[in-house]
Amino acid sequence: MQNTVPLSSAEVERLVQAIGTPVSAPMVMPKQVLEAPHGGLLRGLMLRLHLLASPRQGL
Amino acid sequence: MPGPAGHVGASLPRAVAVTLSLVAGAGAFMLFLQFGMSDGLDAIDIARSVLIFISTWWLAWGAVQGLMGLTTQAEPPALPEGPLTAKVAVLVPVYNEDPVTTFSRVAAMDESLQATGLGHLFHIAILSDSRNEAIAARERLWFLRLVGDRAAEGRIFYRRRTDNRGKKAGNVEDFIQKSGGAYDFALILDADSLMEGATIVEMARRMQATPDLGLLQTLPVVTRAGTRFGRAMQFSAAFHSPVFARGLAMMQGRTGPFWGHNAMVRVHAFAESCGLPELRGKPPFGGHVMSHDYVEAALLARAGWRVRLDDDLAGSYEEGPENIVDHAKRDRRWCQGNLQHSRLLLAPGLKPWSRFVFFQGIMAYISPLFWIGFMVASVLAPHFAPPPDYFPEPYWPFPIFPQAETSKAIGLAIGVFGLLILPKFAIALHASMSGRARSFGGAARVFASVFAELLFSSLTAPVLLAWQTRSVFQVFLGRDGGWPTNNRGAATLSLGDAWAASHWIVMTGAVALAGTWAMAPGLVVWMLPVILPMLVAPLLLSWSSRPSRSGLFVTPTDLAEPPVMRRQREILAIWEGEAALPGAPLVGTEPSHASA
């Protein structure tokens, strides 16, 4: 194991990069839909209860 | 792909819990309405009755959960068969933490994992989000020391993000996007988490044996508390929480909880289901999802994965706040996170139970408002009451005095108090009869501890309630609490510190006392249990932050220190000793610390 005392902080950083970087194995993590496109709790509730016209209905 | 999500026997417990708690709430509503009607019914009586209905229902919901936990038994999970072959990443997100302490936990867990003989299947990744350059520099040095001590090159990793987008959830997401493909499962920890290697291996075996299990949550035990506040919280968490968690587990079905740490996820399920978007608008309601764990559990369930709490898994530990101020700081963050979930109540496709979990989280923070509303309305009520009518019958010459209904109000108060204390004493009784009390120092000590904890929590509840209420108002007023670093250092608060943190609570208590005295002097006695602790809040804060020397609040980890805790303590003692030496080299200069 290398003695870090004589190393500069940049050298320590390089050493950590070299032995610390996790293995590369990319994965896709798609963003999920959490909000109705026409958000708002009250608006969403009223839409569900068919008390408001859906934006699609106007098309 | 997992099978369709169902409700494995959860419908009946849910129905029972909802019905019982609603019946309790309705009973309180009727009692209070009759009490209010004694001097003529008015709008404020109805408002108070509704507030007491909501508050009692919420209390009863918690009590029912505890009683359900007492009366049910964990169903043993299917025994895993065959050898463990899955690759597991143990993720340790850190954010401006003391690296000596945090990395000593990593060293102890690594040692414990290697001792299982299956250590080759596990990698540990320290995921730094630290913004403080000095701390980051120490992290790098201590990482080299950790790898050297554990001979862990290629097994323990460290990386620091250049920007901490998405906070902890973004930190984990970043790892999964870059390295997730190399692993079947990921154990997500907190910086203060500590787990036995055997527990981690058992979790991986259960995940491997249950292909539709997306997330497996353990019940972490709070350890190493030293202050009066910390010890009381630790005892409560160790003694009561497993029973309440059992009750919760009965109702969760496939839609269990995720508490953000000490839980294992199936990496590809997590990747495909749990990418969190930024919510529209600014914090506190917009921006990144703050309490991401509940949302991730809901998203896994939405995608058909099972989320399960296995409360039979031991060997899972965490540390808790040591004083009320640190507790309140953490609670401020949780408050904002839970109230933000109001944006997600109607998120498309969520399971009904997931929506209910969000609702529960919101209720946990806004419920004090109902109690405060009830108290304020009660103080104001005499000014709205109609004058007594002693001659309601036009042709009856004798006065008719209103029927005294005080007994109903007293009965209601006893009922509410009962809901608070009954589950805790029932748990103590059950522990005494089942022998569980032995691991807490024996039945006598358990009853004394439960009584002391009740007394302590009754004293501190109004102070915590004040903080919680302020947090709720701050969030409603749009104030973002940010992402402060957890304070895991010195716990003792001087009287000056305590006063600085809580003088506003003292003032609020004084105003409440003066207002009650002026408007409803008859209620002063009823209000004192709430107002008095507020008036002495600085004393309470300071006193409770001091080291505990009591023989009460004993927990199993006090009586028998688990191996991983013992090793972490030993490693930390060595490292801290060396770190304290002036100019001492940190890494790899002494043979005794050469590769293990």
Side-chain angles (χ1 to χ4, degrees), chain B residues 8 29-30 81 105 122 134 155 170 188 192 217 228 260 262 283 368 372 400 424 434 479 502 569-570:
Chain B
V8 188
F29 175 84
M30 293 308 297
E81 288 174 6
R105 295 189 185 105
F122 295 83
R155 203 177 69 238
I188 299 176
D192 63 1
Q217 174 71 59
R228 290 164 175 148
N262 296 37
I372 290 171
I400 298 174
K424 293 187 173 181
S434 67
R479 277 182 59 185
S502 65
R569 185 170 50 74
E570 289 166 357

PDB file of all heavy atoms in Angstrom, chain B residues 8 29-30 81 105 122 134 155 170 188 192 217 228 260 262 283 368 372 400 424 434 479 502 569-570:
ATOM      1  N   VAL B   8     -52.111  -9.887  -1.197  1.00  0.00           N
ATOM      2  CA  VAL B   8     -51.983 -11.192  -0.576  1.00  0.00           C
ATOM      3  C   VAL B   8     -52.532 -11.140   0.846  1.00  0.00           C
ATOM      4  O   VAL B   8     -51.824 -10.845   1.789  1.00  0.00           O
ATOM      5  CB  VAL B   8     -50.499 -11.642  -0.577  1.00  0.00           C
ATOM      6  CG1 VAL B   8     -50.362 -13.078  -0.119  1.00  0.00           C
ATOM      7  CG2 VAL B   8     -49.901 -11.479  -1.961  1.00  0.00           C
ATOM      8  N   PHE B  29     -66.756  11.675  18.000  1.00  0.00           N
ATOM      9  CA  PHE B  29     -67.583  12.726  17.392  1.00  0.00           C
ATOM     10  C   PHE B  29     -68.930  12.836  18.119  1.00  0.00           C
ATOM     11  O   PHE B  29     -69.362  13.928  18.503  1.00  0.00           O
ATOM     12  CB  PHE B  29     -67.794  12.387  15.910  1.00  0.00           C
ATOM     13  CG  PHE B  29     -68.714  13.318  15.187  1.00  0.00           C
ATOM     14  CD1 PHE B  29     -68.241  14.517  14.667  1.00  0.00           C
ATOM     15  CD2 PHE B  29     -70.057  13.007  15.018  1.00  0.00           C
ATOM     16  CE1 PHE B  29     -69.094  15.385  14.002  1.00  0.00           C
ATOM     17  CE2 PHE B  29     -70.912  13.865  14.359  1.00  0.00           C
ATOM     18  CZ  PHE B  29     -70.432  15.057  13.845  1.00  0.00           C
ATOM     19  N   MET B  30     -69.560  11.684  18.334  1.00  0.00           N
ATOM     20  CA  MET B  30     -70.893  11.684  18.980  1.00  0.00           C
ATOM     21  C   MET B  30     -70.803  12.187  20.415  1.00  0.00           C
ATOM     22  O   MET B  30     -71.638  12.984  20.870  1.00  0.00           O
ATOM     23  CB  MET B  30     -71.500  10.264  18.960  1.00  0.00           C
ATOM     24  CG  MET B  30     -71.856   9.751  17.587  1.00  0.00           C
ATOM     25  SD  MET B  30     -72.892  10.886  16.645  1.00  0.00           S
ATOM     26  CE  MET B  30     -74.358  10.924  17.660  1.00  0.00           C
ATOM     27  N   GLU B  81     -33.554 -21.712  -1.975  1.00  0.00           N
ATOM     28  CA  GLU B  81     -32.869 -22.967  -2.295  1.00  0.00           C
ATOM     29  C   GLU B  81     -31.717 -22.691  -3.253  1.00  0.00           C
ATOM     30  O   GLU B  81     -31.746 -21.714  -3.988  1.00  0.00           O
ATOM     31  CB  GLU B  81     -33.853 -23.947  -2.944  1.00  0.00           C
ATOM     32  CG  GLU B  81     -34.861 -24.502  -1.950  1.00  0.00           C
ATOM     33  CD  GLU B  81     -35.921 -25.354  -2.633  1.00  0.00           C
ATOM     34  OE1 GLU B  81     -35.795 -25.588  -3.844  1.00  0.00           O
ATOM     35  OE2 GLU B  81     -36.866 -25.757  -1.939  1.00  0.00           O
ATOM     36  N   ARG B 105     -17.561   1.970   9.323  1.00  0.00           N
ATOM     37  CA  ARG B 105     -18.745   1.094   9.168  1.00  0.00           C
ATOM     38  C   ARG B 105     -18.581   0.223   7.918  1.00  0.00           C
ATOM     39  O   ARG B 105     -18.889  -0.975   7.933  1.00  0.00           O
ATOM     40  CB  ARG B 105     -20.023   1.940   9.050  1.00  0.00           C
ATOM     41  CG  ARG B 105     -20.352   2.719  10.299  1.00  0.00           C
ATOM     42  CD  ARG B 105     -21.743   3.371  10.193  1.00  0.00           C
ATOM     43  NE  ARG B 105     -21.973   4.211  11.348  1.00  0.00           N
ATOM     44  CZ  ARG B 105     -21.927   5.542  11.344  1.00  0.00           C
ATOM     45  NH1 ARG B 105     -21.714   6.202  10.226  1.00  0.00           N
ATOM     46  NH2 ARG B 105     -22.124   6.233  12.441  1.00  0.00           N
ATOM     47  N   PHE B 122     -20.073  -9.592  -3.562  1.00  0.00           N
ATOM     48  CA  PHE B 122     -20.493  -8.262  -3.111  1.00  0.00           C
ATOM     49  C   PHE B 122     -19.425  -7.212  -3.381  1.00  0.00           C
ATOM     50  O   PHE B 122     -18.258  -7.414  -3.061  1.00  0.00           O
ATOM     51  CB  PHE B 122     -20.801  -8.296  -1.602  1.00  0.00           C
ATOM     52  CG  PHE B 122     -21.981  -9.171  -1.264  1.00  0.00           C
ATOM     53  CD1 PHE B 122     -21.817 -10.547  -1.113  1.00  0.00           C
ATOM     54  CD2 PHE B 122     -23.253  -8.628  -1.121  1.00  0.00           C
ATOM     55  CE1 PHE B 122     -22.900 -11.360  -0.822  1.00  0.00           C
ATOM     56  CE2 PHE B 122     -24.325  -9.441  -0.826  1.00  0.00           C
ATOM     57  CZ  PHE B 122     -24.164 -10.806  -0.671  1.00  0.00           C
ATOM     58  N   ALA B 134     -12.918  20.265   1.926  1.00  0.00           N
ATOM     59  CA  ALA B 134     -12.038  19.715   2.966  1.00  0.00           C
ATOM     60  C   ALA B 134     -12.512  18.305   3.336  1.00  0.00           C
ATOM     61  O   ALA B 134     -11.691  17.382   3.492  1.00  0.00           O
ATOM     62  CB  ALA B 134     -12.050  20.620   4.186  1.00  0.00           C
ATOM     63  N   ARG B 155     -12.882  -4.125  -5.137  1.00  0.00           N
ATOM     64  CA  ARG B 155     -14.091  -4.606  -4.425  1.00  0.00           C
ATOM     65  C   ARG B 155     -14.831  -3.463  -3.722  1.00  0.00           C
ATOM     66  O   ARG B 155     -16.034  -3.482  -3.602  1.00  0.00           O
ATOM     67  CB  ARG B 155     -13.658  -5.659  -3.399  1.00  0.00           C
ATOM     68  CG  ARG B 155     -14.767  -6.603  -3.024  1.00  0.00           C
ATOM     69  CD  ARG B 155     -14.331  -7.692  -2.076  1.00  0.00           C
ATOM     70  NE  ARG B 155     -14.006  -7.185  -0.753  1.00  0.00           N
ATOM     71  CZ  ARG B 155     -12.831  -7.339  -0.155  1.00  0.00           C
ATOM     72  NH1 ARG B 155     -11.860  -7.991  -0.760  1.00  0.00           N
ATOM     73  NH2 ARG B 155     -12.614  -6.848   1.055  1.00  0.00           N
ATOM     74  N   GLY B 170     -30.831  11.038  -6.632  1.00  0.00           N
ATOM     75  CA  GLY B 170     -30.035  11.280  -7.833  1.00  0.00           C
ATOM     76  C   GLY B 170     -28.675  10.613  -7.741  1.00  0.00           C
ATOM     77  O   GLY B 170     -28.132  10.150  -8.751  1.00  0.00           O
ATOM     78  N   ILE B 188     -29.209  -0.557  -0.557  1.00  0.00           N
ATOM     79  CA  ILE B 188     -29.092   0.891  -0.378  1.00  0.00           C
ATOM     80  C   ILE B 188     -28.992   1.193   1.126  1.00  0.00           C
ATOM     81  O   ILE B 188     -29.850   0.780   1.915  1.00  0.00           O
ATOM     82  CB  ILE B 188     -30.308   1.610  -1.003  1.00  0.00           C
ATOM     83  CG1 ILE B 188     -30.364   1.317  -2.499  1.00  0.00           C
ATOM     84  CG2 ILE B 188     -30.219   3.119  -0.756  1.00  0.00           C
ATOM     85  CD1 ILE B 188     -31.560   1.888  -3.218  1.00  0.00           C
ATOM     86  N   ASP B 192     -25.089   6.279   8.121  1.00  0.00           N
ATOM     87  CA  ASP B 192     -25.031   5.738   9.486  1.00  0.00           C
ATOM     88  C   ASP B 192     -25.561   4.306   9.571  1.00  0.00           C
ATOM     89  O   ASP B 192     -25.778   3.786  10.668  1.00  0.00           O
ATOM     90  CB  ASP B 192     -25.771   6.650  10.472  1.00  0.00           C
ATOM     91  CG  ASP B 192     -27.250   6.762  10.174  1.00  0.00           C
ATOM     92  OD1 ASP B 192     -27.715   6.113   9.216  1.00  0.00           O
ATOM     93  OD2 ASP B 192     -27.948   7.492  10.899  1.00  0.00           O
ATOM     94  N   GLN B 217     -37.238  -4.624   2.313  1.00  0.00           N
ATOM     95  CA  GLN B 217     -36.891  -3.659   3.363  1.00  0.00           C
ATOM     96  C   GLN B 217     -36.689  -4.395   4.684  1.00  0.00           C
ATOM     97  O   GLN B 217     -37.474  -5.293   5.028  1.00  0.00           O
ATOM     98  CB  GLN B 217     -38.032  -2.640   3.502  1.00  0.00           C
ATOM     99  CG  GLN B 217     -37.903  -1.656   4.647  1.00  0.00           C
ATOM    100  CD  GLN B 217     -36.818  -0.617   4.427  1.00  0.00           C
ATOM    101  OE1 GLN B 217     -36.850   0.128   3.464  1.00  0.00           O
ATOM    102  NE2 GLN B 217     -35.839  -0.577   5.322  1.00  0.00           N
ATOM    103  N   ARG B 228     -30.315  11.420  27.020  1.00  0.00           N
ATOM    104  CA  ARG B 228     -31.635  11.033  27.548  1.00  0.00           C
ATOM    105  C   ARG B 228     -32.659  10.941  26.431  1.00  0.00           C
ATOM    106  O   ARG B 228     -33.438   9.997  26.361  1.00  0.00           O
ATOM    107  CB  ARG B 228     -32.080  12.064  28.594  1.00  0.00           C
ATOM    108  CG  ARG B 228     -31.253  11.994  29.861  1.00  0.00           C
ATOM    109  CD  ARG B 228     -31.427  13.217  30.718  1.00  0.00           C
ATOM    110  NE  ARG B 228     -30.702  13.068  31.977  1.00  0.00           N
ATOM    111  CZ  ARG B 228     -30.143  14.063  32.641  1.00  0.00           C
ATOM    112  NH1 ARG B 228     -30.220  15.300  32.182  1.00  0.00           N
ATOM    113  NH2 ARG B 228     -29.516  13.845  33.775  1.00  0.00           N
ATOM    114  N   GLY B 260     -35.873   4.121   2.491  1.00  0.00           N
ATOM    115  CA  GLY B 260     -34.727   4.828   1.928  1.00  0.00           C
ATOM    116  C   GLY B 260     -33.378   4.207   2.229  1.00  0.00           C
ATOM    117  O   GLY B 260     -32.376   4.600   1.633  1.00  0.00           O
ATOM    118  N   ASN B 262     -31.122   0.571   4.265  1.00  0.00           N
ATOM    119  CA  ASN B 262     -31.162  -0.784   4.822  1.00  0.00           C
ATOM    120  C   ASN B 262     -32.204  -1.634   4.086  1.00  0.00           C
ATOM    121  O   ASN B 262     -32.975  -2.390   4.695  1.00  0.00           O
ATOM    122  CB  ASN B 262     -31.439  -0.767   6.333  1.00  0.00           C
ATOM    123  CG  ASN B 262     -30.328  -0.077   7.108  1.00  0.00           C
ATOM    124  OD1 ASN B 262     -29.766   0.896   6.634  1.00  0.00           O
ATOM    125  ND2 ASN B 262     -30.006  -0.564   8.293  1.00  0.00           N
ATOM    126  N   PRO B 283     -39.374  24.299  -5.391  1.00  0.00           N
ATOM    127  CA  PRO B 283     -39.589  23.747  -4.055  1.00  0.00           C
ATOM    128  C   PRO B 283     -40.386  24.742  -3.201  1.00  0.00           C
ATOM    129  O   PRO B 283     -40.367  25.929  -3.502  1.00  0.00           O
ATOM    130  CB  PRO B 283     -38.163  23.594  -3.507  1.00  0.00           C
ATOM    131  CG  PRO B 283     -37.274  23.597  -4.703  1.00  0.00           C
ATOM    132  CD  PRO B 283     -37.961  24.440  -5.722  1.00  0.00           C
ATOM    133  N   PRO B 368     -51.296  17.556  13.781  1.00  0.00           N
ATOM    134  CA  PRO B 368     -51.254  18.522  14.888  1.00  0.00           C
ATOM    135  C   PRO B 368     -52.138  19.744  14.635  1.00  0.00           C
ATOM    136  O   PRO B 368     -52.646  20.353  15.579  1.00  0.00           O
ATOM    137  CB  PRO B 368     -49.782  18.939  14.949  1.00  0.00           C
ATOM    138  CG  PRO B 368     -49.037  17.815  14.345  1.00  0.00           C
ATOM    139  CD  PRO B 368     -49.941  17.245  13.292  1.00  0.00           C
ATOM    140  N   ILE B 372     -54.606  21.544  17.251  1.00  0.00           N
ATOM    141  CA  ILE B 372     -54.494  22.974  17.557  1.00  0.00           C
ATOM    142  C   ILE B 372     -55.811  23.675  17.215  1.00  0.00           C
ATOM    143  O   ILE B 372     -56.303  24.503  17.988  1.00  0.00           O
ATOM    144  CB  ILE B 372     -53.310  23.595  16.780  1.00  0.00           C
ATOM    145  CG1 ILE B 372     -52.014  23.059  17.369  1.00  0.00           C
ATOM    146  CG2 ILE B 372     -53.341  25.114  16.841  1.00  0.00           C
ATOM    147  CD1 ILE B 372     -50.780  23.406  16.588  1.00  0.00           C
ATOM    148  N   ILE B 400     -85.839  24.987  33.688  1.00  0.00           N
ATOM    149  CA  ILE B 400     -85.227  23.688  33.334  1.00  0.00           C
ATOM    150  C   ILE B 400     -83.741  23.941  33.135  1.00  0.00           C
ATOM    151  O   ILE B 400     -83.347  24.719  32.259  1.00  0.00           O
ATOM    152  CB  ILE B 400     -85.852  23.101  32.051  1.00  0.00           C
ATOM    153  CG1 ILE B 400     -87.342  22.840  32.262  1.00  0.00           C
ATOM    154  CG2 ILE B 400     -85.110  21.834  31.617  1.00  0.00           C
ATOM    155  CD1 ILE B 400     -88.072  22.390  31.010  1.00  0.00           C
ATOM    156  N   LYS B 424     -48.996   0.745  23.894  1.00  0.00           N
ATOM    157  CA  LYS B 424     -47.655   0.613  24.464  1.00  0.00           C
ATOM    158  C   LYS B 424     -47.644  -0.333  25.659  1.00  0.00           C
ATOM    159  O   LYS B 424     -46.741  -1.161  25.804  1.00  0.00           O
ATOM    160  CB  LYS B 424     -47.109   1.995  24.847  1.00  0.00           C
ATOM    161  CG  LYS B 424     -46.843   2.872  23.634  1.00  0.00           C
ATOM    162  CD  LYS B 424     -46.152   4.150  23.980  1.00  0.00           C
ATOM    163  CE  LYS B 424     -45.768   4.903  22.700  1.00  0.00           C
ATOM    164  NZ  LYS B 424     -45.073   6.158  22.959  1.00  0.00           N
ATOM    165  N   SER B 434     -44.342 -13.250  26.693  1.00  0.00           N
ATOM    166  CA  SER B 434     -43.689 -14.055  25.654  1.00  0.00           C
ATOM    167  C   SER B 434     -42.197 -14.267  25.921  1.00  0.00           C
ATOM    168  O   SER B 434     -41.555 -15.039  25.222  1.00  0.00           O
ATOM    169  CB  SER B 434     -43.853 -13.360  24.291  1.00  0.00           C
ATOM    170  OG  SER B 434     -43.126 -12.141  24.291  1.00  0.00           O
ATOM    171  N   ARG B 479     -41.619  28.007   1.785  1.00  0.00           N
ATOM    172  CA  ARG B 479     -40.208  28.069   2.187  1.00  0.00           C
ATOM    173  C   ARG B 479     -39.550  26.714   2.071  1.00  0.00           C
ATOM    174  O   ARG B 479     -39.995  25.740   2.690  1.00  0.00           O
ATOM    175  CB  ARG B 479     -40.090  28.592   3.627  1.00  0.00           C
ATOM    176  CG  ARG B 479     -40.140  30.108   3.666  1.00  0.00           C
ATOM    177  CD  ARG B 479     -39.981  30.620   5.067  1.00  0.00           C
ATOM    178  NE  ARG B 479     -38.736  30.208   5.704  1.00  0.00           N
ATOM    179  CZ  ARG B 479     -38.441  30.477   6.971  1.00  0.00           C
ATOM    180  NH1 ARG B 479     -39.310  31.139   7.727  1.00  0.00           N
ATOM    181  NH2 ARG B 479     -37.296  30.100   7.473  1.00  0.00           N
ATOM    182  N   SER B 502     -35.434  27.551  20.835  1.00  0.00           N
ATOM    183  CA  SER B 502     -36.834  27.333  21.216  1.00  0.00           C
ATOM    184  C   SER B 502     -37.502  28.530  21.888  1.00  0.00           C
ATOM    185  O   SER B 502     -38.609  28.385  22.405  1.00  0.00           O
ATOM    186  CB  SER B 502     -36.917  26.128  22.163  1.00  0.00           C
ATOM    187  OG  SER B 502     -36.246  26.416  23.376  1.00  0.00           O
ATOM    188  N   ARG B 569     -16.695  -0.500  16.148  1.00  0.00           N
ATOM    189  CA  ARG B 569     -16.214   0.298  17.284  1.00  0.00           C
ATOM    190  C   ARG B 569     -14.697   0.155  17.416  1.00  0.00           C
ATOM    191  O   ARG B 569     -13.980   1.133  17.625  1.00  0.00           O
ATOM    192  CB  ARG B 569     -16.933  -0.168  18.562  1.00  0.00           C
ATOM    193  CG  ARG B 569     -16.624   0.633  19.801  1.00  0.00           C
ATOM    194  CD  ARG B 569     -17.557   0.264  20.942  1.00  0.00           C
ATOM    195  NE  ARG B 569     -17.679  -1.160  21.193  1.00  0.00           N
ATOM    196  CZ  ARG B 569     -16.755  -1.926  21.783  1.00  0.00           C
ATOM    197  NH1 ARG B 569     -15.624  -1.381  22.174  1.00  0.00           N
ATOM    198  NH2 ARG B 569     -16.953  -3.220  21.978  1.00  0.00           N
ATOM    199  N   GLU B 570     -14.205  -1.078  17.251  1.00  0.00           N
ATOM    200  CA  GLU B 570     -12.762  -1.320  17.373  1.00  0.00           C
ATOM    201  C   GLU B 570     -11.989  -0.627  16.247  1.00  0.00           C
ATOM    202  O   GLU B 570     -10.972   0.020  16.490  1.00  0.00           O
ATOM    203  CB  GLU B 570     -12.480  -2.832  17.350  1.00  0.00           C
ATOM    204  CG  GLU B 570     -12.948  -3.545  18.614  1.00  0.00           C
ATOM    205  CD  GLU B 570     -12.981  -5.068  18.478  1.00  0.00           C
ATOM    206  OE1 GLU B 570     -12.696  -5.592  17.375  1.00  0.00           O
ATOM    207  OE2 GLU B 570     -13.308  -5.733  19.479  1.00  0.00           O
TER     208      GLU B 570
END
